[in-house]
Amino acid sequence: VNQVLLFLLIVTLCGILYKKVHKGTVLRNETDDDSEPPEEMEDEIPVVICAAAGRMGAAMAAINSIYSNTDANILFYVVGLRNTLSRIRKWIEHSKLREINFKIVEFNPTVLKGKIRPDSSRPELLQPLNFVRFYLPLLIHQHEKVIYLDDDVIVQGDIQELYDTTLALGHAAAFSDDCDLPSAQDMNRFVGLQNTYMGYLDYRKKTIKDLGISPSTCSFNPGVIVANMTEWKHQRITKQLEKWMQKNVEENLYSSSLGGGVATSPMLIVFHGKYSTINPLWHIRHLGWNPDTRYSEHFLQEAKLLHWNGRHKPWDFPSVHNDLWESWFVPDPAGIFKLHHHSS
């Protein structure tokens, strides 16, 4: 009996020792395997970009340009309306973009009900996805800092640089000043651009006058945003933007001279005097304003980000510098989105 008990005791001890050693190995291996991802998670750069039904090719070209020009760990939040989500996924998964790290996010336009005037001179700007930038914290949860980009951009630099933009204490976002652009004055003379608040707000209205903002104040462009989500939520930025959307529905406060003030105007009011600035080369704009106005090739090569804001998009005709855009174009696997260039 004693020998049997001794044998059982030895077996039990061996079993305990084996479990401990084995468990230690498993934990160590898991730790070894996981030693990098937590750091990677911290270094993950979230980029929000919208993919609208009629211009999905724009978002895909922008994503391709970002992904191709960086070694950073990018997480793309591709935002669409419900009826386009499967098409977005198909385009990514059946093209060269299949390697990207992405999440597809549905934007519910009912949040905009009663907040948009239907009488814009540019109806395409009333597209619901134009207002996604107002609702960043509702779409992005686990990130402190986020990049938002319009779909009609191409990134030629390393997006890590843009992400590293310093936001001053108490600032929820960084933008590009419309007066900062090299050769901006020349461009404005050519295309009749307005780069001050007067171009976006109707100063004949008492509500606008009462803001106490000089009409000659330099505007900024919210097509490229580096945002701090903690400050955004703390300052209730989304609520403030919605308030000014509502006021515009009631009082028609925005200038129609640009017709582009639908999403820009509320941001100009809410962020007035409370934003940091982005390096000007990270937002070279106005490429879509006039098909007869071109930047110098040298200047375009220096640019880190190109933005075809305006009516003349690089996938349509007429447009300028569309060769730069087309070099990043990813053909639509469904064959729906096509380039319309009747001339080069």
Side-chain angles (χ1 to χ4, degrees):
V1 175
N2 284 348
Q3 280 182 327
V4 172
L5 284 172
L6 186 62
F7 176 74
L8 286 173
L9 186 62
I10 289 167
V11 169
T12 308
L13 281 169
C14 286
I16 290 167
L17 279 169
Y18 173 78
K19 274 189 177 173
K20 277 199 166 181
V21 170
H22 183 65
K23 189 179 179 191
T25 310
V26 170
L27 286 173
R28 193 159 58 247
N29 286 346
E30 284 176 359
T31 309
D32 289 348
D33 288 346
D34 289 345
S35 58
E36 283 183 356
E39 251 180 63
E40 275 186 23
M41 278 299 289
E42 280 175 32
D43 293 342
E44 201 170 55
I45 297 177
V47 175
V48 177
I49 193 156
C50 296
R55 41 197 282 170
M56 212 171 274
M60 300 304 163
I63 289 169
N64 186 28
S65 71
I66 295 163
Y67 182 73
S68 302
N69 286 311
T70 187
D71 291 325
N73 179 19
I74 311 293
L75 174 56
F76 291 99
Y77 285 84
V78 189
V79 186
L81 302 180
R82 177 172 292 175
N83 61 349
T84 62
L85 303 184
S86 60
R87 192 176 154 215
I88 293 169
R89 183 172 296 281
K90 184 181 176 187
W91 199 323
I92 293 172
E93 292 180 350
H94 292 82
S95 72
K96 65 190 290 188
L97 298 176
R98 66 179 68 90
E99 293 174 4
I100 70 169
N101 187 12
F102 70 100
K103 287 183 181 178
I104 294 176
V105 182
E106 179 185 348
F107 182 66
N108 188 343
T110 57
V111 296
L112 302 172
K113 197 169 168 56
K115 298 188 184 83
I116 304 173
R117 290 182 70 88
D119 56 356
S120 167
S121 60
R122 288 180 63 194
E124 75 273 17
L125 295 172
L126 300 177
Q127 216 269 87
L129 294 179
N130 230 8
F131 300 91
V132 162
R133 71 197 93 192
F134 289 15
Y135 296 95
L136 292 177
L138 298 183
L139 303 167
I140 312 292
H141 300 295
Q142 71 270 44
H143 301 282
E144 169 77 3
K145 199 176 188 184
V146 173
I147 292 173
Y148 166 89
L149 298 176
D150 275 355
D151 62 357
D152 50 357
V153 306
I154 287 300
V155 172
Q156 301 188 133
D158 185 341
I159 197 87
Q160 180 79 51
E161 280 181 42
L162 180 61
Y163 187 72
D164 290 341
T165 298
T166 303
L167 271 68
L169 201 63
H171 284 177
F175 307 98
S176 289
D177 274 326
D178 275 335
C179 307
D180 66 5
L181 200 55
S183 78
Q185 300 313 316
D186 294 339
M187 284 295 287
N188 294 343
R189 200 166 63 245
F190 282 130
V191 297
L193 278 183
Q194 183 63 264
N195 60 2
T196 63
Y197 271 55
M198 185 183 261
Y200 294 90
L201 305 177
D202 187 347
Y203 275 83
R204 294 169 301 181
K205 301 287 167 72
K206 183 179 186 304
T207 304
I208 297 300
K209 281 185 195 159
D210 288 350
L211 287 169
I213 301 172
S214 163
S216 61
T217 302
C218 185
S219 56
F220 57 79
N221 186 304
V224 177
I225 308 172
V226 181
N228 178 316
M229 293 293 91
T230 305
E231 277 298 331
W232 193 291
K233 287 183 271 199
H234 175 66
Q235 295 179 31
R236 297 167 64 83
I237 297 290
T238 298
K239 283 278 173 232
Q240 292 188 57
L241 290 166
E242 286 187 324
K243 182 188 91 172
W244 283 101
M245 289 169 81
Q246 198 72 56
K247 275 183 178 289
N248 181 52
V249 169
E250 294 157 9
E251 302 178 45
N252 196 12
L253 300 174
Y254 305 153
S255 167
S256 57
S257 64
L258 273 184
V262 192
T264 301
S265 302
M267 296 196 91
L268 289 178
I269 295 170
V270 170
F271 283 101
H272 174 250
K274 291 186 291 189
Y275 65 92
S276 300
T277 52
I278 289 169
N279 175 337
L281 288 175
W282 267 102
H283 196 176
I284 301 301
R285 328 184 257 301
H286 312 322
L287 275 74
W289 274 87
N290 188 325
D292 301 318
T293 307
R294 303 177 72 88
Y295 280 114
S296 76
E297 291 306 316
H298 172 72
F299 181 58
L300 291 170
Q301 281 165 12
E302 295 290 305
K304 307 280 190 177
L305 181 148
L306 301 172
H307 188 184
W308 279 263
N309 58 317
R311 293 171 193 268
H312 302 283
K313 302 304 183 191
W315 54 89
D316 270 330
F317 177 85
S319 58
V320 293
H321 305 301
N322 43 356
D323 53 323
L324 288 172
W325 183 87
E326 270 186 58
S327 63
W328 300 108
F329 177 60
V330 179
D332 182 359
I336 300 168
F337 184 97
K338 293 185 172 69
L339 301 179
H340 300 292
H341 287 153
H342 310 303
S343 165
S344 281

